[in-house]
Amino acid sequence: MHETAHLLLALFVIFVAAQVGAEIAQRLKLPGVVGEITAGCIIGPSALGWLASAEIAVGTPLDMLAEIGVVLLLFSVGLETRLDDLRKVGRSAFLVGTLGVIMPFVLGALWAHGSGFDWVRSMFVAAAFVATSAGITARVLQELGVLNQIESRVILGAAVIDDILAMLLLGVVTSLQGGKGVDLTSLALVLLQATGFVFVIALVGTRVMRARGYWLNRPINPLSPLTIALAICLGLAWLSTEFGLAAIIGAFLAGMIASEIPQREELEHQMQPLLALLTPFFFVLTGAKIDLSVFNSTAALTMLGIVTLIAIVSKLIGGGLGALSLGRRSALIVGIGMVPRGEVGIVIASLGLTAGVFSNDIYAVIVAMSLLTSVVTPPLLSMMFKRAGRNASKAN
Amino acid sequence: MHETAHLLLALFVIFVAAQVGAEIAQRLKLPGVVGEITAGCIIGPSALGWLASAEIAVGTPLDMLAEIGVVLLLFSVGLETRLDDLRKVGRSAFLVGTLGVIMPFVLGALWAHGSGFDWVRSMFVAAAFVATSAGITARVLQELGVLNQIESRVILGAAVIDDILAMLLLGVVTSLQGGKGVDLTSLALVLLQATGFVFVIALVGTRVMRARGYWLNRPINPLSPLTIALAICLGLAWLSTEFGLAAIIGAFLAGMIASEIPQREELEHQMQPLLALLTPFFFVLTGAKIDLSVFNSTAALTMLGIVTLIAIVSKLIGGGLGALSLGRRSALIVGIGMVPRGEVGIVIASLGLTAGVFSNDIYAVIVAMSLLTSVVTPPLLSMMFKRAGRNASKAN
């Protein structure tokens, strides 16, 4: 009984901290996720200590709840991603997405290797530089009311491609990390296995869903499309770990497959309460795992500055170059729009910490970098769109 | 990583087993919950062994998920219960609810004491005989399309009163159990504390919600009424454990309070996906915890027979007597409608097992009894309503 009571208190504290943090962040015009992570920092072991380190370690009930939260989050991101949309978005989006992955990856790997990591670890660190947070970008664009403008479409299309490339990259890097010895044959096998899994699930799954999606209505359960989709999500999340990929990749694929059924909007709608309950545990625990004492040193603060600068500049260059055909100002807007890292970068950092690849220092720095990029983007994007709007009005 | 993968597999297996079980049960015209519990029996340690005993023990991640599931379930039951409805339902419903609690409690306690339990433990066992499952009854009445008939209204009104009395009873019994020594002063204090908590939360909470419910719309978060309601649910679930009550009582009260806000229907709607994801863990684990080997003996089977008989007869008498003013046939229908035990009885049995009051034998018997009453009722109720309908048509 006492154990249950203690756990309920922890659930309550985490959940309320997340709500308060998100509310304050949003009143300050920042994404809610920034507030949830900050709340985690504050109530975590390195500040108030309302959560103990042992309570949030891997395999604990709270950690599993966080894991379920992030699995559901990536499932819902997948739900907003259709295979066809990837084909429809033009050359610009593809260029922006690809260059926006390559630049941060290369610059990140160079920096990490320069800081003394071996190449495999450097690639893991670099992978955390890559993924644009489609969620944060989309939320900002929506708030500005510019979702129908060409830059927004390119950003969103590119963010999708970016996400998938980042997932692939993460899968490959995780496998490499797991394999340790870099034997070329096994490397090829690992790569083939991982990409094979992704492509088979994406292509076959999508077709099956299109052709047989009505099967999801057959069960008596009135919530049936949701329950079957959740079963697929949990199943693929587990299966992808069997293929050496992260659980969230399977969850993302499950979402992308499920987006093919006619009840897709209903599913997205039904996912909202699930995300509202469970994702706060992921973000608060993310924040709670940051060892704030790391930032007591000038060295760490310098590292944070450099990492954040690399993260911003690499996306500006990569994204901007890809969108140059739209004109300079639009290219700049697109570049800025690609800057925010969020969930995925933090997820990769968490994986790195769990796998023992990242030290507490580099974990704290990467999570802080994700925070900073998310904090910097909204006002910049807002400024650029307003200026562009004024010029456009003048031109009319 | 490996631990996470293993846990994801367990989540997948439990969730799918629950869906398959519920689907089969519903195709056999049984409540889905019967199938979920049966599925738990089958995949649990005493049959297939897909879940190990250590994986589902108290304090494990899976157990916590089950706990969250039942907390949310009782929250949603509370959401369907308004303080005003309790005042509106007439004398019949009150009589049926009260007698329907007293009869099973008295007969259950007598049987338990006769079987060798001391009086305090006997009262705990008897508490598991009490609670009608409003969910199962309502679902059956809905399927029969007789929700607007007088018997249905009395059954539903009585089920609400029944639920609250059972909760109070459970609270008192749990406190008594916790107190061990039956000192009259501390007994009175415990009773005062528990009932005081329930009444203060119910009355003050209801008023605050009515007067200040619009506060729940103030946060920026578009899911805000839900998130605040969930925070209240987790908070009161924890707080009620501090008052010596079960977490589910706090959750139920939170639901009842939240039912006063204008967005109540939206809340009920948003709870559906949460229940769909999380309650299966409770019911499957409930089933998995049943030690099937208990039923190898004739003695245990005899005990099951006696307990089930007491459970059915006591509700028929108690419920029937309370509804006698409606005529004999209607009284019989009401009595049958009150027979199914479900969630709450099983919850009490789980609490008893956790607190060490119940042996594996008595736990298995009580859970099996809950199953049997749920299985027996739907066809009986259906038969009675159809016969009553035929007579009514003849009378016209």
Side-chain angles (χ1 to χ4, degrees):
Chain A
M1 286 294 268
H2 186 256
E3 205 160 354
T4 306
H6 187 76
L7 217 44
L8 281 169
L9 178 59
L11 294 179
F12 175 64
V13 168
I14 293 173
F15 192 75
V16 170
Q19 303 308 319
V20 172
E23 184 68 20
I24 293 174
Q26 286 176 311
R27 297 224 179 242
L28 298 172
K29 310 278 178 212
L30 296 173
V33 65
V34 174
E36 295 184 15
I37 297 172
T38 311
C41 280
I42 294 172
I43 67 169
S46 74
L48 291 181
W50 293 359
L51 294 174
S53 300
E55 279 179 303
I56 57 175
V58 180
T60 55
L62 291 177
D63 182 67
M64 186 198 56
L65 221 50
E67 175 76 17
I68 297 176
V70 70
V71 159
L72 293 177
L73 178 65
L74 273 282
F75 176 76
S76 86
V77 170
L79 265 185
E80 294 173 43
T81 313
R82 300 186 71 166
L83 211 57
D84 279 356
D85 291 345
L86 302 187
R87 290 177 186 149
K88 273 185 208 154
V89 290
R91 210 170 52 102
S92 303
F94 184 79
L95 273 178
V96 170
T98 313
L99 289 175
V101 162
I102 293 174
M103 286 300 295
F105 188 72
V106 169
L107 288 185
L110 285 176
W111 169 78
H113 192 63
S115 310
F117 286 89
D118 64 43
W119 277 116
V120 171
R121 281 170 185 238
S122 296
M123 282 164 69
F124 206 131
V125 172
F129 278 75
V130 161
T132 294
S133 165
I136 288 176
T137 310
R139 218 186 312 181
V140 172
L141 295 175
Q142 199 176 33
E143 279 173 28
L144 292 174
V146 296
L147 269 173
N148 57 344
Q149 296 196 16
I150 179 81
E151 295 92 344
S152 300
R153 287 193 188 142
V154 172
I155 291 173
L156 288 178
V160 167
I161 293 166
D162 180 298
D163 243 24
I164 289 182
L165 290 179
M167 295 263 170
L168 269 176
L169 201 59
L170 168 62
V172 172
V173 168
T174 314
S175 306
L176 285 180
Q177 181 55 29
K180 273 153 198 169
V182 185
D183 159 23
L184 267 184
T185 321
S186 75
L187 192 154
L189 204 74
V190 157
L191 213 151
L192 200 74
Q193 214 182 23
T195 54
F197 173 76
V198 169
F199 277 104
V200 167
I201 296 291
L203 295 176
V204 176
T206 305
R207 279 185 196 195
V208 170
M209 280 292 162
R210 273 183 208 160
R212 301 270 177 263
Y214 57 88
W215 281 358
L216 275 68
N217 272 337
R218 286 203 181 164
I220 291 175
N221 190 334
L223 287 166
S224 161
L226 176 67
T227 48
I228 297 188
L230 288 174
I232 295 174
C233 170
L234 291 172
L236 287 184
W238 163 70
L239 198 61
S240 73
T241 65
E242 293 286 302
F243 279 83
L245 294 167
I248 47 165
I249 297 182
F252 176 79
L253 291 174
M256 202 168 77
I257 291 174
S259 78
E260 295 294 336
I261 64 170
Q263 307 90 332
R264 170 201 184 182
E265 280 190 23
E266 192 189 341
L267 271 186
E268 280 184 31
H269 197 69
Q270 289 171 323
M271 286 305 292
Q272 295 310 312
L274 291 173
L275 299 181
L277 177 66
L278 292 164
T279 55
F281 293 95
F282 176 71
F283 291 115
V284 170
L285 257 66
T286 297
K289 284 176 185 167
I290 299 176
D291 183 2
L292 291 174
S293 63
V294 162
F295 296 112
N296 280 340
S297 73
T298 332
L301 281 177
T302 315
M303 180 152 97
L304 175 59
I306 295 174
V307 163
T308 307
L309 203 68
I310 294 175
I312 293 176
V313 168
S314 63
K315 276 285 180 187
L316 276 179
I317 297 177
L321 278 181
L324 255 189
S325 62
L326 302 177
R328 269 202 219 163
R329 183 183 298 278
S330 294
L332 190 56
I333 289 181
V334 169
I336 294 172
M338 302 296 288
V339 162
R341 313 305 201 279
E343 302 90 47
V344 180
I346 293 169
V347 169
I348 295 176
S350 306
L351 284 177
L353 188 67
T354 310
V357 186
F358 288 11
S359 64
N360 278 340
D361 292 34
I362 187 88
Y363 172 77
V365 163
I366 284 182
V367 173
M369 173 274 279
S370 295
L371 280 179
L372 284 177
T373 54
S374 301
V375 170
V376 162
T377 305
L380 276 182
L381 210 52
S382 164
M383 201 181 70
M384 287 301 295
F385 263 109
K386 278 171 191 157
R387 204 183 287 177
R390 207 163 51 227
N391 289 356
S393 324
K394 274 185 200 158
N396 289 349
Chain B
M1 284 293 267
H2 186 257
E3 205 160 354
T4 305
H6 188 74
L7 217 43
L8 282 169
L9 179 58
L11 293 179
F12 174 63
V13 167
I14 292 173
F15 192 74
V16 170
Q19 302 308 319
V20 172
E23 183 68 19
I24 292 175
Q26 286 177 310
R27 298 223 179 244
L28 298 173
K29 309 282 178 209
L30 296 172
V33 63
V34 173
E36 293 184 17
I37 297 173
T38 311
C41 280
I42 294 172
I43 67 169
S46 75
L48 291 181
W50 292 358
L51 293 173
S53 299
E55 279 178 304
I56 57 176
V58 181
T60 56
L62 291 178
D63 182 65
M64 186 198 56
L65 222 49
E67 175 75 16
I68 297 175
V70 70
V71 160
L72 293 177
L73 178 65
L74 272 281
F75 176 75
S76 86
V77 170
L79 217 44
E80 293 173 42
T81 311
R82 298 186 74 166
L83 212 55
D84 279 355
D85 292 344
L86 302 188
R87 291 177 186 153
K88 272 185 213 155
V89 291
R91 212 170 52 99
S92 302
F94 184 77
L95 274 177
V96 170
T98 312
L99 290 175
V101 162
I102 293 173
M103 284 301 295
F105 187 72
V106 169
L107 288 185
L110 286 177
W111 168 78
H113 192 61
S115 311
F117 287 89
D118 62 44
W119 276 115
V120 172
R121 282 174 186 234
S122 295
M123 283 165 69
F124 207 132
V125 172
F129 277 74
V130 162
T132 294
S133 165
I136 288 177
T137 310
R139 218 187 311 181
V140 171
L141 295 176
Q142 199 175 35
E143 279 173 28
L144 291 174
V146 295
L147 269 173
N148 57 343
Q149 297 196 14
I150 179 79
E151 294 92 345
S152 301
R153 286 192 189 143
V154 172
I155 291 173
L156 289 178
V160 166
I161 292 165
D162 180 300
D163 243 24
I164 290 182
L165 290 179
M167 296 262 169
L168 269 175
L169 201 60
L170 168 63
V172 172
V173 168
T174 314
S175 306
L176 285 181
Q177 181 55 31
K180 273 153 199 167
V182 186
D183 160 22
L184 266 183
T185 322
S186 76
L187 192 154
L189 205 76
V190 157
L191 213 150
L192 200 75
Q193 212 182 27
T195 53
F197 173 76
V198 169
F199 278 102
V200 167
I201 297 290
L203 295 176
V204 177
T206 304
R207 276 183 198 198
V208 169
M209 279 293 164
R210 273 183 207 159
R212 300 272 177 261
Y214 57 88
W215 280 358
L216 275 69
N217 272 336
R218 285 202 181 162
I220 291 176
N221 189 334
L223 287 167
S224 160
L226 177 67
T227 49
I228 296 188
L230 288 174
I232 295 174
C233 170
L234 292 173
L236 287 184
W238 163 71
L239 197 61
S240 72
T241 66
E242 293 287 302
F243 279 84
L245 295 168
I248 48 163
I249 296 183
F252 175 79
L253 291 173
M256 203 169 77
I257 292 173
S259 77
E260 295 294 336
I261 64 170
Q263 308 91 333
R264 169 201 185 180
E265 279 191 22
E266 191 188 342
L267 272 186
E268 280 184 31
H269 197 69
Q270 289 171 325
M271 285 305 292
Q272 294 310 314
L274 290 172
L275 299 182
L277 177 65
L278 292 165
T279 55
F281 292 97
F282 176 71
F283 291 114
V284 170
L285 257 65
T286 296
K289 282 175 185 167
I290 299 176
D291 184 1
L292 291 176
S293 63
V294 163
F295 298 112
N296 280 341
S297 73
T298 332
L301 281 177
T302 314
M303 179 153 94
L304 176 59
I306 295 172
V307 164
T308 307
L309 203 68
I310 294 174
I312 293 176
V313 168
S314 63
K315 276 286 180 188
L316 276 179
I317 297 177
L321 279 181
L324 255 189
S325 61
L326 303 176
R328 269 201 217 163
R329 184 184 298 280
S330 293
L332 189 57
I333 289 182
V334 169
I336 295 173
M338 302 296 289
V339 162
R341 313 305 201 280
E343 303 89 46
V344 180
I346 293 169
V347 169
I348 295 176
S350 308
L351 285 177
L353 189 67
T354 310
V357 186
F358 288 11
S359 63
N360 279 339
D361 292 33
I362 187 85
Y363 172 76
V365 163
I366 284 182
V367 174
M369 173 273 279
S370 296
L371 279 178
L372 284 176
T373 53
S374 302
V375 169
V376 162
T377 305
L380 276 181
L381 210 52
S382 164
M383 201 180 69
M384 288 300 295
F385 263 111
K386 277 172 192 156
R387 206 184 286 177
R390 207 166 48 229
N391 289 358
S393 322
K394 274 184 202 161
N396 289 346

